[in-house]
Amino acid sequence: MMKTKLPLLTLSLMVLIQGCASEASPDLAPSPVSLDELKRTIDSRQGRVVVVNFWATWCMPCRVEFPDLVKFGKEFEDQGVDMVFVSTDFESDLPMAAEFLKEQGVPWRSYVKMGVDFEFIDAFHTQWSGALPATFVYDRDGNLRAFWDGITSYAELESQVETIL
């Protein structure tokens, strides 16, 4: 009787452990973020270089550059770099945004912009037209050191960040 219960007990424990592990994994759905909350998120990472990337699932250049950004974030995380992805997708597209983040292997919490587009854009950075993708790089003291809109590559991002590190 003991021989038949052991495999069942082992299987039950494996299911329980898997269930706990899946609950611990980060929710890939972007969290809504206001302008003030995003600025606080950036400020809270003092002592680290912060790369903020605005993107959308409907933006083809965003999709092209995304794998390089994820790879960069993973490889530079231990060197004091944090990636912050902010989706500008519409609320109806958020399931698609969550699926895209999962497909790209994004391990970090991501956000979706809340509020009126141009009010948010103008308040975030007056020289940003709202074009996507847009990338902002902050130094360890929270000062904006680089900004560009349009597609970027791993090498370009690495070059910008290494001058700050």
Side-chain angles (χ1 to χ4, degrees):
M1 185 166 196
M2 188 64 152
K3 286 183 179 180
T4 58
K5 287 186 178 182
L6 188 56
L8 185 58
L9 179 61
T10 303
L11 179 61
S12 298
L13 283 172
M14 287 173 56
V15 169
L16 179 64
I17 290 168
Q18 265 189 322
C20 291
S22 65
E23 288 176 36
S25 63
D27 181 11
L28 293 177
S31 301
V33 69
S34 69
L35 177 65
D36 289 339
E37 291 167 333
L38 181 57
K39 288 185 174 185
R40 280 195 300 275
T41 296
I42 295 166
D43 290 343
S44 73
R45 299 182 183 196
Q46 294 286 318
R48 297 186 62 82
V49 173
V50 180
V51 178
V52 179
N53 178 262
F54 289 89
W55 65 282
T57 55
W58 48 262
C59 167
M60 285 306 118
C62 299
R63 287 176 164 270
V64 168
E65 78 171 358
F66 217 89
D68 275 354
L69 296 175
V70 173
K71 179 181 176 186
F72 177 85
K74 289 177 179 178
E75 291 179 2
F76 277 76
E77 189 170 29
D78 290 341
Q79 295 180 44
V81 177
D82 287 345
M83 294 295 298
V84 176
F85 291 114
V86 182
S87 170
T88 60
D89 281 295
F90 302 109
E91 186 175 339
S92 61
D93 294 328
L94 291 183
M96 191 166 41
E99 183 61 29
F100 179 76
L101 292 167
K102 181 179 177 183
E103 289 169 2
Q104 295 296 317
V106 175
W108 316 286
R109 182 176 182 192
S110 298
Y111 302 92
V112 61
K113 175 201 73 59
M114 291 182 357
V116 179
D117 286 349
F118 284 103
E119 289 176 10
F120 187 99
I121 291 163
D122 289 343
F124 190 78
H125 191 280
T126 57
Q127 294 178 355
W128 179 29
S129 69
L132 295 176
T135 305
F136 298 81
V137 181
Y138 295 85
D139 66 19
R140 295 177 189 276
D141 295 321
N143 301 308
L144 180 64
R145 295 284 299 274
F147 148 72
W148 61 94
D149 52 19
I151 197 166
T152 192
S153 68
Y154 182 99
E156 290 169 318
L157 188 55
E158 181 179 37
S159 174
Q160 289 289 332
V161 169
E162 283 186 343
T163 63
I164 298 170
L165 288 174

